Amino acid sequence: MTSTHCGPISGASWIASEAVAVQEAFLEDLSPSELRALPHLFEFWALPHQLPPRNEWRTWIILGGRGAGKTRAGAEWVRAMVEGATPRMAGRARRVALVGETIDQAREVMIFGDSGIMALAPPDRRPEWLPGRRLLVWPNGATAQLFSAHDPESLRGPQFDAAWADELAKWKNGQETWDMLQFCLRLGDDPRAVITTTPRKSPVLREILARPSTVTTHAPTDANRANLAAGFLEEVTRRYGGTRLGRQELEGELLDDLEGALWTAQMLGQARVSAAPPLSRIVVAVDPPVSGHQGSDDCGIVVAGIVCEGPPQSWCSYVLEDATVSAATPEVWARAALEAVARHGADRLVAEVNQGGALVETVIRQIDPLVPFRAVRATHGKAARAEPVAALYEQGRVRHLEGLTALEDQMGQMCRTGFAGRGSPDRVDALVWALQELVIDPARQWRRPRMRVL
């Protein structure tokens, strides 16, 4: 594997950094046709990590933080493969596979997104979208067909000479889908694939990275700062800079599991599902902070439900939402928790009272006097409380819906010796209380022998 780390230097930085007079002279030297073509000449505008390495390769992986320009690079690579010197002249590729996590995400990001194929195509080379066939057709006859990683079997039969795979590290059926795609890449003299993904630990991504025919380019979110809102960069850097989640989502680092981690990336990857079935019971669990001011710990708020059918060992839980709030006053986090109760139709609100005592329930009941409430008190350390819950994940008895990245980041830093992250694992604490309420305590009650009345 060949790797290239790229910083925030643009391919057009030499002209962008020149004086206005130099820039004007450069533009005046261009003919009208060259001026019209300039916005579509990606090699001129691209960041280094967005351009394919020049050495031989079969798979090019673009690793980057959120907003680093990965989608733009993938879409421009497809353009470079299918477009010829003129609108109707053939390019290097005639049939392209476009594979996303789902059909909807692939269509809205890879094709119709702000950095998708349709937005980038020159007017005379813009492909036609045939929704019934999930197909793009270019004026020169080249085609690109859309596929979902949720349906690997749909890749049986078609054949291609190029492929673009987006966010592969998130694919639920990653290995199977990638294997099927490899069998499809059998046309032309040099079939190739590009992968654009934020790095998350994934067995299939690790396996592809280890191949000698794989090349990579890499850039953090900051590399593309010229095309991102300043407020966005300031906020995410302030909140996540220096954290494990920030290293993954902003720096684009592929992280390994910590020594003694209670939850591994593989466990969490296997737990993810796209939807939950009808649930028997739903709870909202709260881990209140000691104080509510700027710089205080977050208030962990996690919503989870369970399907109770048969004995407890067959029950399956679903983590539905991480509604955690930051630097919140008691009234703010109490309202956030109660809104989560209403949003999910929860049966009970559970809150740890070690820090706030009776004040926790008082604050909640001032807003909603009738909410079903249960106070819980920690008698063991955080790691000791978390271990029985981690065992449920090892048994495959807990599922995660999408959108729980921050929670999963904290879970990956909870070790048998304690929390290895920054601050307090408020989200994990709330998760533990939710699953304690749904699974562990009811299971103990179920196993307890009934007293015989004499």
Side-chain angles (χ1 to χ4, degrees):
M1 180 194 73
T2 303
S3 178
T4 304
H5 178 89
C6 300
I9 301 175
S10 169
S13 61
W14 68 272
I15 190 65
S17 61
E18 291 288 348
V20 174
V22 176
Q23 295 174 349
E24 290 178 347
F26 168 78
L27 294 174
E28 287 174 359
D29 284 343
L30 299 179
S31 68
S33 60
E34 289 172 335
L35 280 172
R36 287 193 298 271
L38 188 60
H40 303 289
L41 297 178
F42 187 58
E43 288 191 357
F44 181 82
W45 303 105
L47 299 166
H49 73 278
Q50 295 176 309
L51 295 174
R54 297 187 181 278
N55 53 303
E56 293 297 319
W57 54 270
R58 179 171 172 83
T59 304
W60 171 29
I61 301 180
I62 308 171
L63 294 173
R66 298 283 188 93
K70 303 182 298 296
T71 302
R72 174 73 184 268
E76 292 284 6
W77 180 80
V78 171
R79 275 193 59 213
M81 292 297 291
V82 301
E83 292 180 7
T86 64
R88 298 194 176 276
M89 186 175 292
R92 285 173 287 176
R94 298 289 292 172
R95 296 184 187 176
V96 182
L98 305 176
V99 189
E101 184 180 10
T102 66
I103 288 293
D104 288 346
Q105 290 180 7
R107 182 183 62 245
E108 297 305 316
V109 175
M110 302 171 78
I111 295 179
F112 292 106
D114 292 340
S115 298
I117 292 171
M118 297 296 279
L120 305 178
D124 59 345
R125 300 171 191 228
R126 184 167 290 123
E128 180 185 2
W129 170 241
L130 306 179
R133 299 174 61 190
R134 296 175 182 169
L135 195 70
L136 284 173
V137 182
W138 274 265
N140 64 2
T143 62
Q145 190 172 354
L146 213 59
F147 296 92
S148 166
H150 280 267
D151 185 15
E153 291 299 307
S154 64
L155 285 162
R156 288 187 180 274
Q159 51 186 355
F160 305 98
D161 48 12
W164 173 22
D166 188 48
E167 294 296 355
L168 177 140
K170 291 174 56 184
W171 291 1
K172 182 67 175 176
N173 303 309
Q175 188 66 63
E176 186 178 357
T177 304
W178 181 255
D179 289 343
M180 290 296 100
L181 182 60
Q182 297 312 290
F183 288 117
C184 294
L185 286 172
R186 55 181 186 262
L187 292 181
D189 298 327
D190 187 21
R192 294 183 172 192
V194 165
I195 297 171
T196 52
T197 188
T198 301
R200 299 174 69 175
K201 191 172 180 184
S202 158
V204 63
L205 181 59
R206 289 282 191 188
E207 187 266 330
I208 299 169
L209 284 167
R211 294 179 183 177
S213 59
T214 297
V215 297
T216 68
T217 56
H218 167 263
T221 298
D222 186 67
N224 196 34
R225 62 178 179 270
N227 298 309
L228 299 172
F232 162 77
L233 278 176
E234 181 181 346
E235 178 65 16
V236 296
T237 301
R238 182 186 65 79
R239 292 195 61 178
Y240 303 111
T243 68
R244 189 173 173 87
L245 181 62
R247 289 172 59 196
Q248 173 181 282
E249 301 293 326
L250 299 179
E251 298 301 319
E253 294 184 32
L254 186 58
L255 304 177
D256 292 319
D257 292 325
L258 297 177
E259 184 72 26
L262 294 179
W263 287 275
T264 66
Q266 183 176 2
M267 288 168 58
L268 295 173
Q270 292 173 345
R272 296 188 189 105
V273 294
S274 57
L279 299 169
S280 308
R281 188 165 180 251
I282 298 174
V283 301
V284 174
V286 184
D287 178 54
V290 177
S291 58
H293 56 76
Q294 189 72 25
S296 66
D297 291 333
D298 292 343
C299 176
I301 304 174
V302 169
V303 185
I306 190 169
V307 176
C308 302
E309 294 182 1
Q313 57 266 27
S314 66
W315 297 353
C316 188
S317 300
Y318 292 81
V319 183
L320 307 176
E321 183 186 358
D322 175 6
T324 296
V325 292
S326 302
T329 64
E331 181 182 357
V332 170
W333 63 249
R335 288 191 182 279
L338 289 167
E339 287 169 2
V341 169
R343 191 160 56 246
H344 292 273
D347 302 280
R348 176 173 287 180
L349 177 62
V350 179
E352 182 183 317
V353 297
N354 285 54
Q355 304 293 348
L359 177 63
V360 173
E361 182 175 1
T362 299
V363 172
I364 290 171
R365 295 220 178 272
Q366 284 176 346
I367 301 171
D368 186 349
L370 301 179
V371 64
F373 176 85
R374 182 189 176 202
V376 291
R377 186 176 293 275
T379 57
H380 300 86
K382 295 180 184 295
R385 296 200 308 272
E387 283 199 35
V389 174
L392 297 174
Y393 284 79
E394 291 187 72
Q395 298 163 6
R397 295 172 57 191
V398 184
R399 300 285 183 263
H400 277 201
L401 268 63
E402 297 175 354
L404 301 173
T405 304
L407 169 62
E408 291 175 355
D409 176 64
Q410 277 196 359
M411 294 170 72
Q413 297 178 83
M414 179 61 73
C415 304
R416 288 178 173 82
T417 55
F419 184 57
R422 187 175 66 180
S424 176
D426 313 282
R427 301 167 194 268
V428 175
D429 283 344
L431 170 76
V432 168
W433 289 123
L435 294 180
Q436 178 93 16
E437 174 72 16
L438 288 171
V439 186
I440 297 174
D441 286 349
R444 289 172 179 161
Q445 293 289 336
W446 190 86
R447 287 194 300 267
R448 186 178 298 164
R450 295 181 181 178
M451 296 182 62
R452 188 172 63 179
V453 179
L454 300 178

